[in-house]
């Protein structure tokens, strides 16, 4: 017995030692430099020299070394990465490629749609927080492309200071339906708005020699079934609706990389879809970068992926196994030159960015500077959308009066929550977060007002407080629990998709199963709606909601989104008029959920149609609750004198129009001037109108500005699937210019393409 106990003791000790070693390995995740030793390479100042250098390096590699360039890391490193995040709350960069013998450093990957995902440690346990911006959908609501450039300039700098040179951002998947769980990570329901913002992001990142990986290519607009769903789409819809923004970042932005999506496209997984990855992306668009897979569940067949043109499997080696590849070569399914070409795309891109001159140095001190944090606040302010602002006693509810001796009630379960959105791949670690209550409380400190927090655990108490307060701010919406990246295991997702319904308890993230707020928030709004005339409902979330049960009952509604680390301060500045709201909806809000295209979180197959969002509402003559491009201001803007400067065009010309916009209110502000093209005279089925230009202009009180907008004739084309080409119709078009996509908000004139 003693001998047995002794053996058991040794076994337990050995297991403890093994666990300790593994825990230390998880904690001591290796950090690699991604900087090229430029002294080891001759000057490569032309594309031709980069090509030559890339070919010469590949020629020096063995087949095994080439295969090592085709994946992120071995499975053991991937498990270490997961453990480091789960146990220590860190997300180190994920490395890939590299060849020490040939002086090629690995690349270091981090996500980053609202800030750097990877956590850099100054010393053990000392987290260096990054600047955390409002989510992408909020920034899309700013309609401010220059602002997006500034934001990604900061993110690019902080990437480099964190040792990152490859990033999985921007996300430019289309918002087809507002229930999509990852809506917050993208910009809009509209391909044009999406493309302009995606281009700004790519250009700003790559200015700092961070390789941008735009994602997810393609048709990834459903979350819970993302590992299994097969998306059916016709050729026109694919080309005109779901690919234009990817094409823009490829051809205009020269994006370094794309990430393939999890889903199938027309029966073939995107990670081994030759039509997407080679026929369209490389042969038609001329893409010269590299494609990496979506993580863990994005690859299924090593040979098929090589044949399709997938360059890198991330984050670890799953299907790109040496035995598989060598057997494929032996069987004649693939050749070693096929491997060479895949390696060439990746290595050439690495060399192009790694050997380029940096515009600056990237020390730790540039992370989360006061200037960057100020930009986060400004971004939140410019993003917020004022949907409703009724008049009470002949004046609008907002901005609230900011005189002294007042009681302000801030009510709701989210009122004092650090709630920045998704905690999947877009999570950030920031120095601090200003909640709505904290921002409003700080604002009133100097005014001597009393700010009362009520987390709405007792509706009767909340009603009593609201009746007694001078101003009521009701904070409702979502968290990462209700919407976000779906982190359920693929096997469970498979099962749910096959059955067409959720198979277990609700897990964090994923698609929303309906568009209403959670029952507690719905009940809170209903309870407080009639208690106080000076009441605003502040919505926190990443997409459209169903407001139908309470919209008419409340005097004011503000979309504040997931507004970043400075969101609470920004909210106070908006509510009290220090900042004039200028955000506009980047999507349409329907009166009823059935007005949107068919959507279900759990399915093995779905069809994406030609119409969605405002194009669907226009075509079916459905009046939305709030139209695409809509947003109120504390000022009023008058549009006059729409003039077509080029009334007749050839197919190589550019449409130019101008319009005069005047601030007729009593506060300075910014207005988003929107241009749509109309196709009333088309011989084929086309949308009623499409966004094709916009500009955000600042106007002082009483100031008028003549705004000029331009659209190239090629951007009026439709894709003819029979001819397999883009064609421009010779006809008379309409040009609409105004403050939103609603007919009553637009001036209209005609022009002709001869």
């Amino acid at each position: 017995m003693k001998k047995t106990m002794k053996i058991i003791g040794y076994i337990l000790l050995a297991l403890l030692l093994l666990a300790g070693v593994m825990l230390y390995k998880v904690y001591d995740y290796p950090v690699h430099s991604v900087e090229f030793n430029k002294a080891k390479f001759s000057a490569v100042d032309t594309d031709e020299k980069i090509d030559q250098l890339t070919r010469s390096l590949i020629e020096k590699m063995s087949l095994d070394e080439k295969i090592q360039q085709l994946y992120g890391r071995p499975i053991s490193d991937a498990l270490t990465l997961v453990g480091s995040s789960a146990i220590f709350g860190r997300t180190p960069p994920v490395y890939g490629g590299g060849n020490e013998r040939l002086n090629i450093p690995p690349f270091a990957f981090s996500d980053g749609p609202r800030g750097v995902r990877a956590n850099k440690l100054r010393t053990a346990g000392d987290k260096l927080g990054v600047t955390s911006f409002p989510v992408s959908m909020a920034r899309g609501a700013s309609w401010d492309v220059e602002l997006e450039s500034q934001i990604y300039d900061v993110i690019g700098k902080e990437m480099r200071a964190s040792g990152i040179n490859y990033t999985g951002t921007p996300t430019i998947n289309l918002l087809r339906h507002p229930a999509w769980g990852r809506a917050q990570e993208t910009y809009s329901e509209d391909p044009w708005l999406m493309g302009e913002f995606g281009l700004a992001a790519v250009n700003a990142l790559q200015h700092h020699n961070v390789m941008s990986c735009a994602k997810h290519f393609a048709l990834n607009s459903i979350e819970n079934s993302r590992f299994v769903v097969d998306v059916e789409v016709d050729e026109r819809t694919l080309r005109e609706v779901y690919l234009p923004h990817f094409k823009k970042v490829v051809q205009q932005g020269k994006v370094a990389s794309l990430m393939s999506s999890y889903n199938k496209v027309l029966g073939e997984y995107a990670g081994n879809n030759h039509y997407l990855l080679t026929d369209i992306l490389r042969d038609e668009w001329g893409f010269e970068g590299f494609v990496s897979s979506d993580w863990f569940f994005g690859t299924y067949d090593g040979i098929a992926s090589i044949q399709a043109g997938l360059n890198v499997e991330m984050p670890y080696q799953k299907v790109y196994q040496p035995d598989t590849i060598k057997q494929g070569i032996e069987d004649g399914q693939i050749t070693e030159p096929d491997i060479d070409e895949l390696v060439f795309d990746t290595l050439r891109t690495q060399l192009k960015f790694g050997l380029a001159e940096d515009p600056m140095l990237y020390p730790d001190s540039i992370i989360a500077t006061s200037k960057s944090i100020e930009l986060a606040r400004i971004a939140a302010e410019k993003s917020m959308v004022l949907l409703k602002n009724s008049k009470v006693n002949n004046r609008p509810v907002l901005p609230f009066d900011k005189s002294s001796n007042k009681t302000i009630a801030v009510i709701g379960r989210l009122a004092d929550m650090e709630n920045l959105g998704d905690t999947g791949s877009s999570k950030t670690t920031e120095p601090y977060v200003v909640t709505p209550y904290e921002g409003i409380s700080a604002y009133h400190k100097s005014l001597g007002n009393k700010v009362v927090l009520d987390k709405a655990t007792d509706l009767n108490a909340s009603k009593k407080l609201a009746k007694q307060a001078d101003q009521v701010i009701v904070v409702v919406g979502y968290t990462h629990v209700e919407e976000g990246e779906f982190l359920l295991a693929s096997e469970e997702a498979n099962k749910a998709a096959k059955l067409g319904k959720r198979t277990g308890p609700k897990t964090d993230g994923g698609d929303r199963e309906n568009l209403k707020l959670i029952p507690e928030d719905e009940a809170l709004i209903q309870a407080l709606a009639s208690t106080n005339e000076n009441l605003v409902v502040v919505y926190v979330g990443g997409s459209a909601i169903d407001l139908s049960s309470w919209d008419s009952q409340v005097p004011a509604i503000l979309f504040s989104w997931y507004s970043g680390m400075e969101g609470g301060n920004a909210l106070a500045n908006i509510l009290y008029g220090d900042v004039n709201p200028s955000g506009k909806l980047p999507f349409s809000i329907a009166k009823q959920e059935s007005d949107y295209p068919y959507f279900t979180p759990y399915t093995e197959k779905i069809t994406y149609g030609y119409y969605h969002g405002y194009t669907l509402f226009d075509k079916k003559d459905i009046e939305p609750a709030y139209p695409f491009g809509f947003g109120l201001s504390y000022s009023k803007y008058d549009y006059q004198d729409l003039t077509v400067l080029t009334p007749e065009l050839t197919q190589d010309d550019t449409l130019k129009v101008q319009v005069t916009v005047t601030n007729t209110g009593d506060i300075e502000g910014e207005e988003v001037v929107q241009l749509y093209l109309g196709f009333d005279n088309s011989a084929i089925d086309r949308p009623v109108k499409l966004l094709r230009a916009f500009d955000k202009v600042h106007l002082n009180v009483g100031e008028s500005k003549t705004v000029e907008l331009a659209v190239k004739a090629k951007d009026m084309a439709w894709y003819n699937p029979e001819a397999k080409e883009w064609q421009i119709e010779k006809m008379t078009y309409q040009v609409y210019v105004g403050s939103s996509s609603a007919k009553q908000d637009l001036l209209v004139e005609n022009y002709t393409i001869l």
Side-chain angles (χ1 to χ4, degrees):
M1 183 67 179
K2 288 183 179 180
K3 186 176 180 181
T4 302
M5 293 299 296
K6 195 172 184 180
I7 292 172
I8 292 173
Y10 284 136
I11 292 172
L12 289 174
L13 180 60
L15 289 173
L16 284 172
L17 287 172
L18 179 61
V21 170
M22 292 177 67
L23 188 64
Y24 179 77
K25 184 179 179 182
V26 166
Y27 175 77
D28 193 37
Y29 186 85
V31 175
H32 302 283
S33 172
V34 297
E35 303 296 327
F36 276 85
N37 183 347
K38 294 178 182 178
K40 299 284 187 180
F41 299 93
S42 57
V44 282
D45 51 6
T46 67
D47 288 345
E48 184 180 2
K49 288 182 179 179
I50 291 177
D51 288 355
Q52 291 172 351
L53 175 59
T54 306
R55 294 288 184 204
S56 68
L57 288 169
I58 293 173
E59 287 173 2
K60 296 174 183 177
M61 292 181 185
S62 66
L63 179 57
D64 284 331
E65 287 177 313
K66 294 172 186 176
I67 293 171
Q68 289 171 2
Q69 307 303 306
L70 300 181
Y71 58 88
R73 277 291 178 261
I75 182 64
S76 58
D77 282 10
L79 292 174
T80 301
L81 167 73
V82 172
S84 184
S85 178
I87 298 171
F88 297 108
R90 302 180 304 174
T91 305
V94 174
Y95 298 97
N99 186 305
E100 188 175 353
R101 180 177 69 84
L102 297 174
N103 301 302
I104 302 170
F107 57 75
F109 179 96
S110 170
D111 277 301
R114 67 174 189 249
V116 184
R117 176 69 169 95
N119 306 338
K120 183 178 179 182
L121 305 181
R122 279 185 174 138
T123 58
D126 178 20
K127 292 182 179 179
L128 176 63
V130 301
T131 309
S132 184
F133 291 95
V135 294
S136 300
M137 187 63 80
R139 305 193 314 261
S142 77
W143 290 63
D144 192 329
V145 174
E146 175 55 35
L147 176 67
E148 187 68 358
S149 294
Q150 295 172 19
I151 289 168
Y152 266 106
D153 182 73
V154 170
I155 293 175
K157 291 174 183 176
E158 296 192 5
M159 288 275 180
R160 290 296 306 277
S162 301
I164 307 299
N165 67 346
Y166 181 38
T167 180
T169 188
T171 299
I172 52 173
N173 292 113
L174 206 65
L175 179 66
R176 174 183 172 271
H177 189 283
W180 179 36
R182 294 179 80 171
Q184 62 191 270
E185 289 185 52
T186 193
Y187 294 110
S188 177
E189 72 178 32
D190 181 76
W192 188 268
L193 187 60
M194 179 90 73
E196 294 297 288
F197 271 78
L199 184 61
V202 168
N203 286 339
L205 286 167
Q206 296 189 168
H207 172 72
H208 293 288
N209 291 317
V210 177
M211 297 180 290
S212 172
C213 179
K215 63 186 188 183
H216 310 81
F217 192 66
L219 295 162
N220 180 6
S221 296
I222 186 170
E223 186 64 10
N224 291 29
S225 303
R226 60 180 174 163
F227 304 127
V228 297
V229 66
D230 184 6
V231 180
E232 295 185 333
V233 63
D234 66 56
E235 194 68 16
R236 269 196 75 194
T237 302
L238 177 68
R239 301 294 189 135
E240 294 183 33
V241 181
Y242 289 94
L243 293 188
H245 30 293
F246 283 102
K247 185 179 182 181
K248 183 168 284 187
V249 300
V250 167
Q251 294 189 332
Q252 296 183 36
K254 306 297 181 186
V255 69
S257 181
L258 292 180
M259 180 183 290
S260 62
S261 55
Y262 288 120
N263 52 281
K264 296 175 184 176
V265 177
L266 298 171
E268 194 77 54
Y269 279 108
N272 49 263
N273 195 304
H274 190 278
Y275 184 58
L276 283 178
L277 302 188
T278 294
D279 295 347
I280 294 176
L281 184 58
R282 295 196 184 277
D283 295 347
E284 291 186 30
W285 295 355
F287 179 61
E288 294 183 344
F290 64 100
V291 179
S292 63
S293 73
D294 208 338
W295 285 31
F296 295 106
F297 308 115
T299 53
Y300 294 88
D301 185 327
I303 300 302
S305 287
I306 289 171
Q307 292 170 336
L310 182 77
N311 302 89
V312 178
E313 181 180 22
M314 290 292 285
Y316 72 103
Q317 184 184 32
K318 178 183 168 188
V319 301
Y320 278 175
Q321 296 288 343
D323 290 347
T324 301
I325 293 172
K326 290 175 182 177
Q327 188 63 52
I329 293 173
E330 185 177 326
D331 293 343
Q333 296 174 291
I334 55 174
T335 66
E336 188 165 349
D338 292 334
I339 307 301
D340 293 348
E341 286 305 305
L342 293 181
V343 175
F344 177 84
D345 297 331
T346 308
L347 182 55
R348 182 190 186 280
T349 307
Q350 262 191 279
L351 291 167
K352 176 184 174 182
F353 285 90
L355 296 178
E357 290 298 319
D358 285 326
M360 58 179 287
L361 298 176
Y362 300 95
D364 279 0
S365 58
I366 67 172
I367 298 178
T369 65
S370 58
K371 188 175 180 181
S372 299
I373 291 171
E374 180 186 23
L375 182 64
R377 191 201 76 241
I378 291 170
E381 292 167 350
K382 287 178 178 284
S383 298
M384 293 185 185
V385 180
L386 182 61
L387 281 191
K388 185 176 181 181
N389 195 17
S390 302
K391 286 187 176 181
V392 175
N393 297 324
N394 210 33
R395 70 171 299 275
V397 172
L398 297 177
F400 281 141
D401 176 40
K402 52 185 176 183
S403 57
S404 299
N405 301 313
K406 293 190 180 299
T407 298
I408 294 93
V410 185
I411 304 174
R413 65 190 178 91
L414 305 181
D416 195 33
M417 180 184 291
E418 294 186 2
N419 181 22
L420 300 188
D422 177 59
T423 56
S425 58
S426 66
K427 182 181 178 182
T428 51
T429 301
E430 52 287 317
Y432 64 85
V433 176
V434 181
T435 69
Y437 166 72
E438 289 172 341
I440 294 164
S441 182
Y443 186 92
H444 284 279
K445 191 172 184 179
S446 62
L447 298 174
N449 288 324
K450 182 180 180 181
V451 180
V452 181
L453 172 66
D454 174 16
K455 295 186 179 180
T457 54
D458 182 338
L459 278 185
N460 289 326
S462 298
K463 287 174 69 174
K464 183 178 179 181
L465 172 63
K467 287 178 180 178
Q468 295 172 344
D470 295 292
Q471 298 159 2
V472 180
I473 300 154
V474 185
V475 185
V476 297
Y478 302 119
T479 70
H480 70 276
V481 175
E482 289 84 33
E483 60 178 6
E485 185 166 5
F486 189 57
L487 302 179
L488 193 64
S490 64
E491 292 80 8
E492 190 67 23
N494 243 321
K495 182 180 176 184
K498 287 180 184 297
L499 295 175
K501 61 181 181 180
R502 177 152 39 100
T503 56
K506 174 76 168 71
T507 58
D508 283 8
D511 304 307
R512 284 182 278 148
E513 295 183 24
N514 69 76
L515 298 182
K516 288 189 178 295
L517 296 172
I518 67 168
E520 293 90 334
D521 282 351
E522 291 272 337
L524 178 65
I525 295 172
Q526 297 286 355
L528 301 186
S530 61
T531 60
N532 198 310
E533 292 179 331
N534 291 314
L535 178 147
V536 59
V537 173
V538 175
Y539 163 67
V540 178
S543 186
I545 55 175
D546 180 353
L547 309 90
S548 60
S549 64
W550 50 268
D551 186 348
S552 63
Q553 301 175 44
V554 299
I557 303 171
L558 180 72
F559 269 39
S560 73
W561 316 103
Y562 299 111
S563 51
M565 62 186 293
E566 277 284 312
N569 290 331
L571 177 61
N573 289 340
I574 291 284
L575 293 177
Y576 290 93
D578 290 22
V579 174
N580 192 352
S582 62
K584 303 271 191 175
L585 287 175
F587 48 69
S588 313
I589 301 179
K591 287 184 175 180
Q592 53 191 6
E593 190 166 342
S594 59
D595 290 340
Y596 293 110
Y598 172 76
F599 179 88
T600 175
Y602 305 102
T603 181
E604 290 187 291
K605 191 179 289 288
I606 195 166
T607 298
Y608 287 0
Y610 186 62
Y611 292 104
H612 75 285
Y614 73 89
T615 64
L616 178 65
F617 297 159
D618 279 353
K619 200 70 175 180
K620 291 191 173 183
D621 198 22
I622 297 172
E623 183 182 5
Y626 295 97
F628 175 78
F630 174 82
L632 298 174
S633 167
Y634 296 152
S635 264
K636 292 180 183 285
Y637 303 101
D638 180 60
Y639 286 74
Q640 288 185 336
D641 302 326
L642 173 61
T643 304
V644 178
L645 302 176
T646 53
E648 293 184 343
L649 307 172
T650 70
Q651 297 189 21
D652 297 320
D653 289 337
T654 296
L655 170 70
K656 294 180 181 179
V657 306
Q658 66 182 30
V659 67
T660 300
V661 186
T662 304
N663 183 346
T664 60
D666 56 5
I667 179 175
E668 66 178 306
E670 291 183 299
E671 170 67 344
V672 179
V673 183
Q674 303 164 42
L675 180 153
Y676 299 82
L677 299 183
F679 309 94
D680 286 355
N681 299 309
S682 176
I684 58 170
D685 180 26
R686 300 197 71 174
V688 172
K689 62 180 180 290
L690 288 171
L691 179 72
R692 280 297 179 268
F694 58 91
D695 191 14
K696 194 164 190 175
V697 294
H698 182 276
L699 293 163
N700 293 318
V701 177
E703 182 181 11
S704 295
K705 282 185 179 178
T706 299
V707 180
E708 186 170 310
L709 299 165
V711 184
K712 293 179 180 178
K714 69 180 183 66
D715 291 323
M716 306 168 196
W718 70 288
Y719 187 80
N720 186 332
E722 294 181 3
K724 296 185 177 180
E725 65 181 15
W726 290 89
Q727 296 179 348
I728 302 171
E729 291 182 280
K730 294 181 180 180
M731 65 179 188
T732 297
Y733 295 75
Q734 295 73 47
V735 57
Y736 301 92
V737 177
S739 60
S740 87
S741 64
K743 185 182 296 185
Q744 65 269 22
D745 292 337
L746 296 166
L747 302 176
V748 61
E749 291 289 346
N750 294 326
Y751 69 95
T752 301
I753 293 186
L754 302 173

